[in-house]
Short mmCIF file of all heavy atoms in Angstrom, two decimals:
data_model
loop_
_atom_site.label_atom_id
_atom_site.label_comp_id
_atom_site.label_asym_id
_atom_site.label_seq_id
_atom_site.Cartn_x
_atom_site.Cartn_y
_atom_site.Cartn_z
N PHE A 588 -74.47 -108.96 -131.08
CA PHE A 588 -75.36 -108.99 -132.26
C PHE A 588 -75.64 -110.44 -132.66
O PHE A 588 -76.75 -110.79 -133.04
CB PHE A 588 -74.70 -108.23 -133.42
CG PHE A 588 -75.56 -108.03 -134.62
CD1 PHE A 588 -76.60 -107.10 -134.61
CD2 PHE A 588 -75.34 -108.77 -135.78
CE1 PHE A 588 -77.39 -106.91 -135.74
CE2 PHE A 588 -76.13 -108.59 -136.91
CZ PHE A 588 -77.16 -107.67 -136.88
N ARG A 594 -80.91 -111.15 -127.86
CA ARG A 594 -81.65 -110.49 -128.96
C ARG A 594 -82.96 -109.84 -128.52
O ARG A 594 -83.28 -108.74 -128.96
CB ARG A 594 -81.87 -111.48 -130.11
CG ARG A 594 -82.25 -110.80 -131.43
CD ARG A 594 -81.94 -111.66 -132.62
NE ARG A 594 -80.50 -111.91 -132.70
CZ ARG A 594 -79.95 -112.76 -133.57
NH1 ARG A 594 -80.71 -113.43 -134.42
NH2 ARG A 594 -78.65 -112.94 -133.58
N TRP A 597 -82.63 -106.15 -127.33
CA TRP A 597 -82.35 -104.96 -128.16
C TRP A 597 -83.17 -104.92 -129.45
O TRP A 597 -83.31 -103.85 -130.04
CB TRP A 597 -80.85 -104.85 -128.49
CG TRP A 597 -80.24 -106.03 -129.15
CD1 TRP A 597 -79.55 -107.06 -128.56
CD2 TRP A 597 -80.25 -106.33 -130.56
NE1 TRP A 597 -79.14 -107.98 -129.51
CE2 TRP A 597 -79.56 -107.56 -130.73
CE3 TRP A 597 -80.79 -105.71 -131.68
CZ2 TRP A 597 -79.39 -108.16 -131.98
CZ3 TRP A 597 -80.62 -106.29 -132.93
CH2 TRP A 597 -79.92 -107.51 -133.06
N GLU A 598 -83.69 -106.10 -129.93
CA GLU A 598 -84.41 -106.10 -131.23
C GLU A 598 -85.89 -105.85 -130.94
O GLU A 598 -86.67 -106.76 -130.70
CB GLU A 598 -84.17 -107.44 -131.93
CG GLU A 598 -84.83 -107.57 -133.32
CD GLU A 598 -84.15 -106.72 -134.40
OE1 GLU A 598 -84.26 -105.49 -134.34
OE2 GLU A 598 -83.51 -107.32 -135.28
N THR A 600 -88.50 -105.07 -132.64
CA THR A 600 -89.60 -105.52 -133.50
C THR A 600 -89.70 -107.04 -133.54
O THR A 600 -90.51 -107.61 -134.25
CB THR A 600 -89.40 -105.03 -134.95
OG1 THR A 600 -88.26 -105.70 -135.50
CG2 THR A 600 -89.20 -103.53 -135.02
N GLN A 619 -87.19 -116.17 -137.41
CA GLN A 619 -87.69 -115.02 -136.63
C GLN A 619 -89.01 -114.53 -137.22
O GLN A 619 -89.16 -114.49 -138.44
CB GLN A 619 -86.69 -113.85 -136.63
CG GLN A 619 -85.42 -114.18 -135.92
CD GLN A 619 -84.48 -112.99 -135.72
OE1 GLN A 619 -83.48 -113.12 -135.04
NE2 GLN A 619 -84.78 -111.81 -136.27
N HIS A 621 -91.43 -111.06 -136.93
CA HIS A 621 -91.35 -109.69 -136.43
C HIS A 621 -92.74 -109.09 -136.38
O HIS A 621 -93.67 -109.54 -137.04
CB HIS A 621 -90.43 -108.86 -137.34
CG HIS A 621 -88.99 -109.20 -137.15
ND1 HIS A 621 -88.09 -108.37 -136.52
CD2 HIS A 621 -88.29 -110.32 -137.48
CE1 HIS A 621 -86.89 -108.96 -136.50
NE2 HIS A 621 -87.00 -110.14 -137.06
N LYS A 622 -92.85 -108.04 -135.57
CA LYS A 622 -94.14 -107.37 -135.41
C LYS A 622 -94.63 -106.87 -136.78
O LYS A 622 -93.85 -106.46 -137.62
CB LYS A 622 -94.02 -106.20 -134.44
CG LYS A 622 -93.72 -106.66 -133.00
CD LYS A 622 -93.81 -105.52 -132.03
CE LYS A 622 -93.58 -106.02 -130.61
NZ LYS A 622 -92.18 -105.76 -130.16
N ILE A 624 -96.16 -104.72 -139.75
CA ILE A 624 -96.11 -103.30 -140.15
C ILE A 624 -97.41 -103.02 -140.89
O ILE A 624 -97.59 -103.42 -142.04
CB ILE A 624 -94.93 -103.03 -141.12
CG1 ILE A 624 -93.60 -103.49 -140.53
CG2 ILE A 624 -94.87 -101.55 -141.48
CD1 ILE A 624 -92.44 -103.40 -141.51
N ARG A 630 -94.32 -110.41 -141.19
CA ARG A 630 -93.18 -111.02 -141.90
C ARG A 630 -92.46 -112.02 -141.02
O ARG A 630 -92.39 -111.86 -139.80
CB ARG A 630 -92.20 -109.92 -142.29
CG ARG A 630 -92.23 -109.42 -143.72
CD ARG A 630 -93.56 -108.98 -144.20
NE ARG A 630 -93.48 -108.66 -145.65
CZ ARG A 630 -94.53 -108.24 -146.36
NH1 ARG A 630 -95.70 -108.06 -145.74
NH2 ARG A 630 -94.43 -107.99 -147.64
N VAL A 632 -88.67 -114.64 -141.27
CA VAL A 632 -87.41 -114.76 -142.01
C VAL A 632 -86.64 -115.95 -141.46
O VAL A 632 -86.69 -116.24 -140.26
CB VAL A 632 -86.57 -113.44 -141.90
CG1 VAL A 632 -86.22 -113.11 -140.44
CG2 VAL A 632 -85.33 -113.51 -142.76
N ASN A 657 -75.61 -112.07 -141.76
CA ASN A 657 -76.90 -112.80 -141.71
C ASN A 657 -77.43 -112.89 -143.12
O ASN A 657 -77.52 -111.85 -143.81
CB ASN A 657 -77.91 -112.06 -140.83
CG ASN A 657 -77.50 -112.00 -139.36
OD1 ASN A 657 -76.62 -112.74 -138.95
ND2 ASN A 657 -78.13 -111.13 -138.60
N ILE A 675 -89.70 -112.89 -145.73
CA ILE A 675 -88.85 -111.86 -146.33
C ILE A 675 -87.46 -112.45 -146.57
O ILE A 675 -87.14 -113.52 -146.04
CB ILE A 675 -88.71 -110.60 -145.44
CG1 ILE A 675 -87.75 -110.85 -144.30
CG2 ILE A 675 -90.03 -110.10 -144.92
CD1 ILE A 675 -87.01 -109.61 -143.93
N LEU A 677 -83.32 -111.37 -146.66
CA LEU A 677 -82.39 -110.29 -146.31
C LEU A 677 -80.94 -110.76 -146.35
O LEU A 677 -80.65 -111.96 -146.25
CB LEU A 677 -82.71 -109.74 -144.92
CG LEU A 677 -82.70 -110.65 -143.70
CD1 LEU A 677 -81.30 -110.99 -143.21
CD2 LEU A 677 -83.45 -109.98 -142.56
N VAL A 679 -77.52 -109.15 -144.39
CA VAL A 679 -77.08 -108.12 -143.45
C VAL A 679 -75.62 -108.37 -143.13
O VAL A 679 -75.18 -109.52 -143.00
CB VAL A 679 -77.92 -108.21 -142.15
CG1 VAL A 679 -77.27 -107.46 -141.01
CG2 VAL A 679 -79.34 -107.72 -142.39
N TYR A 707 -72.93 -101.06 -140.85
CA TYR A 707 -74.06 -102.00 -140.92
C TYR A 707 -74.66 -101.86 -142.31
O TYR A 707 -75.07 -100.78 -142.72
CB TYR A 707 -75.11 -101.65 -139.85
CG TYR A 707 -76.39 -102.44 -139.92
CD1 TYR A 707 -76.53 -103.65 -139.26
CD2 TYR A 707 -77.50 -101.98 -140.65
CE1 TYR A 707 -77.72 -104.38 -139.30
CE2 TYR A 707 -78.68 -102.70 -140.71
CZ TYR A 707 -78.78 -103.89 -140.04
OH TYR A 707 -79.96 -104.61 -140.09
N VAL A 725 -91.07 -96.79 -142.69
CA VAL A 725 -90.65 -97.70 -141.61
C VAL A 725 -89.15 -97.75 -141.53
O VAL A 725 -88.56 -97.61 -140.46
CB VAL A 725 -91.22 -99.12 -141.86
CG1 VAL A 725 -90.51 -100.16 -141.02
CG2 VAL A 725 -92.71 -99.14 -141.60
N TYR A 726 -88.48 -97.94 -142.71
CA TYR A 726 -87.02 -98.04 -142.71
C TYR A 726 -86.41 -96.77 -142.15
O TYR A 726 -85.48 -96.80 -141.34
CB TYR A 726 -86.49 -98.31 -144.13
CG TYR A 726 -86.86 -99.66 -144.69
CD1 TYR A 726 -86.62 -99.99 -146.02
CD2 TYR A 726 -87.45 -100.64 -143.89
CE1 TYR A 726 -86.94 -101.24 -146.54
CE2 TYR A 726 -87.78 -101.88 -144.40
CZ TYR A 726 -87.53 -102.17 -145.72
OH TYR A 726 -87.85 -103.41 -146.21
N GLU A 729 -87.08 -97.05 -138.37
CA GLU A 729 -86.58 -98.21 -137.63
C GLU A 729 -85.06 -98.37 -137.65
O GLU A 729 -84.48 -98.79 -136.65
CB GLU A 729 -87.21 -99.50 -138.20
CG GLU A 729 -88.70 -99.62 -137.95
CD GLU A 729 -89.03 -99.78 -136.46
OE1 GLU A 729 -88.15 -100.22 -135.70
OE2 GLU A 729 -90.17 -99.45 -136.09
N TYR A 730 -84.41 -98.07 -138.77
CA TYR A 730 -82.97 -98.31 -138.81
C TYR A 730 -82.19 -97.43 -137.83
O TYR A 730 -81.40 -97.93 -137.03
CB TYR A 730 -82.42 -98.16 -140.24
CG TYR A 730 -82.58 -99.40 -141.09
CD1 TYR A 730 -83.33 -99.38 -142.27
CD2 TYR A 730 -82.00 -100.61 -140.71
CE1 TYR A 730 -83.48 -100.53 -143.04
CE2 TYR A 730 -82.15 -101.75 -141.49
CZ TYR A 730 -82.88 -101.69 -142.64
OH TYR A 730 -83.04 -102.83 -143.41
N PHE A 733 -82.85 -98.68 -134.37
CA PHE A 733 -82.20 -99.98 -134.10
C PHE A 733 -80.72 -99.77 -133.76
O PHE A 733 -80.23 -100.26 -132.74
CB PHE A 733 -82.36 -100.90 -135.32
CG PHE A 733 -81.18 -101.80 -135.57
CD1 PHE A 733 -80.92 -102.87 -134.73
CD2 PHE A 733 -80.32 -101.54 -136.62
CE1 PHE A 733 -79.81 -103.68 -134.94
CE2 PHE A 733 -79.21 -102.34 -136.84
CZ PHE A 733 -78.96 -103.42 -136.00
C1 XAF B 41 -84.49 -102.57 -137.98
C2 XAF B 41 -85.60 -102.68 -138.94
C3 XAF B 41 -85.38 -102.34 -140.26
C4 XAF B 41 -86.41 -102.52 -141.18
C5 XAF B 41 -87.63 -103.00 -140.76
C6 XAF B 41 -87.79 -103.25 -139.41
C7 XAF B 41 -89.05 -103.75 -138.92
N1 XAF B 41 -89.99 -102.99 -138.32
N2 XAF B 41 -91.05 -103.78 -138.02
C8 XAF B 41 -90.80 -105.07 -138.41
C9 XAF B 41 -89.52 -105.06 -138.99
C10 XAF B 41 -88.82 -106.22 -139.55
C11 XAF B 41 -89.55 -107.16 -140.31
C12 XAF B 41 -88.89 -108.26 -140.79
C13 XAF B 41 -87.53 -108.46 -140.51
F1 XAF B 41 -86.94 -109.55 -140.99
C14 XAF B 41 -86.80 -107.54 -139.77
C15 XAF B 41 -85.35 -107.74 -139.49
C16 XAF B 41 -84.51 -106.63 -139.28
C17 XAF B 41 -83.15 -106.81 -138.98
C18 XAF B 41 -82.62 -108.09 -138.87
S1 XAF B 41 -80.94 -108.31 -138.46
O1 XAF B 41 -80.48 -109.51 -139.09
O2 XAF B 41 -80.25 -107.08 -138.78
C19 XAF B 41 -80.82 -108.53 -136.69
C20 XAF B 41 -81.40 -109.81 -136.23
O3 XAF B 41 -82.76 -109.62 -135.84
C21 XAF B 41 -83.43 -109.19 -139.06
C22 XAF B 41 -84.79 -109.02 -139.38
C23 XAF B 41 -87.47 -106.41 -139.28
N3 XAF B 41 -86.79 -103.14 -138.52
#
Side-chain angles (χ1 to χ4, degrees):
F588 187 74
R594 197 157 297 172
W597 56 264
E598 182 72 290
T600 67
Q619 294 189 173
H621 286 252
K622 293 189 177 100
I624 305 173
R630 260 53 186 180
V632 60
N657 295 344
I675 77 147
L677 59 77
V679 164
Y707 173 89
V725 163
Y726 292 171
E729 292 294 337
Y730 276 120
F733 145 72

